[in-house]
């Protein structure tokens, strides 16, 4: 797949919903019912972060058993992880930043990568590699909407998925920016509801997030 085709696929994925749930799954037993609740609530694009021992098995389970889920792997830090999640069948991968090794590995797989860029130099460097879509992380600590709107003027060809510290109250101010295509958040998957198996509660939160504009 060419870089242009990968970017087109990235755009299709990121426009599927206004919010991408960022999931830290501690137990494989939670993976399928959690994903089903999010998809049922209107959030089909799921980022399962590689921050837990259960992450890879959770990805396998969701890919096998959750219809309509567009499964991505988050916190992909190195080429080995990128190749691993590509082989699993993930639709996309997300990295908080980028390294030369990771970008080289991304050229070797069919799966698109959403790398992170925050400063103008980082964003420009990724754009030189063809990345019109980038993660903006950590969004709130990095200046939030003020920083993003400042980047829009000199680098309008890049659109972002801001993630990090975004709440339901802050989300609309991000989504109205011309250079924000979607955003990442974890408020619809609170640990207490996951631990309690309150999938109906999570579906309700997902539905509210899916209605954000």
């Amino acid at each position: 797949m060419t870089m242009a085709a990968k970017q087109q696929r990235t755009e299709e994925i990121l426009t599927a919903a206004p919010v991408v749930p960022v999931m830290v799954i501690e137990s494989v037993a939670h993976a399928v019912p959690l994903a089903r609740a999010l998809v049922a609530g209107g959030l089909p694009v799921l980022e399962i972060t590689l921050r837990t021992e259960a992450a890879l098995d959770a990805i396998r389970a969701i890919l096998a058993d959750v219809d309509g889920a567009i499964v991505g792997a988050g916190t992909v830090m190195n080429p080995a992880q990128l190749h691993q999640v590509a082989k699993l069948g993930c639709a996309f991968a997300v990295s908080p930043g980028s390294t030369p090794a990771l970008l080289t590995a991304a050229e070797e797989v069919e799966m698109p990568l959403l790398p992170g860029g925050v400063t103008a130099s980082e964003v420009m460097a990724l754009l030189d590699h063809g990345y019109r879509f980038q993660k903006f992380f950590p969004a709130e600590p990095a200046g939030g909407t003020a920083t993003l709107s400042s980047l829009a003027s000199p680098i309008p060809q890049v659109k972002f998925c801001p993630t990090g510290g975004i709440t339901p109250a802050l989300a609309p101010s991000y989504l109205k920016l011309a250079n924000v295509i979607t955003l990442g958040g974890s408020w619809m998957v609170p640990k207490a509801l996951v631990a309690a198996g309150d999938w109906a509660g999570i579906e309700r939160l997902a539905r509210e997030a899916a209605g954000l504009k």
Side-chain angles (χ1 to χ4, degrees):
M1 188 184 296
T2 65
M3 187 59 179
K6 288 180 182 178
Q7 289 298 282
Q8 182 177 350
R9 179 60 183 142
T10 300
E11 184 173 17
E12 292 168 358
I13 291 169
L14 297 182
T15 53
V19 181
V20 176
V22 179
M23 304 153 67
V24 180
I25 300 178
E26 301 285 352
S27 170
V28 177
H30 293 152
V32 169
L34 174 58
R36 284 178 176 160
L38 293 167
V39 173
L43 300 180
V45 183
L46 310 176
E47 179 185 335
I48 296 94
T49 65
L50 302 185
R51 301 180 199 173
T52 67
E53 292 184 2
L56 292 174
D57 285 336
I59 289 171
R60 290 186 184 96
I62 294 168
L63 285 169
D65 294 328
V66 183
D67 291 338
I70 303 170
V71 183
T75 323
V76 174
M77 304 286 287
N78 55 58
Q81 290 179 325
L82 186 74
H83 283 286
Q84 189 172 33
V85 298
K87 288 178 181 177
L88 283 181
C90 285
F92 64 103
V94 184
S95 178
S98 69
T99 65
L102 187 63
L103 296 182
T104 297
E107 297 174 2
E108 301 166 353
V109 299
E110 293 294 294
M111 174 191 67
L113 172 68
L114 181 70
V118 173
T119 67
S121 294
E122 292 168 348
V123 173
M124 289 167 61
L126 286 171
L127 185 59
D128 277 352
H129 282 85
Y131 288 97
R132 295 184 294 109
F133 301 99
Q134 301 177 22
K135 179 172 181 169
F136 182 79
F137 174 85
E140 278 294 292
T145 56
T147 300
L148 281 165
S149 59
S150 295
L151 288 170
S153 183
I155 319 174
Q157 58 269 58
V158 175
K159 292 186 181 296
F160 296 92
C161 172
T163 306
I166 301 175
T167 65
L170 292 171
S173 63
Y174 279 91
L175 291 170
K176 73 179 182 181
L177 296 178
N179 62 341
V180 169
I181 187 170
T182 188
L183 58 85
S186 58
W187 72 82
M188 74 295 299
V189 287
K191 289 184 178 180
L193 293 190
V194 174
D198 187 355
W199 313 124
I202 287 172
E203 182 179 339
R204 183 171 59 253
L205 291 174
R207 200 172 302 282
E208 292 171 359
L212 288 170
K213 297 179 181 178

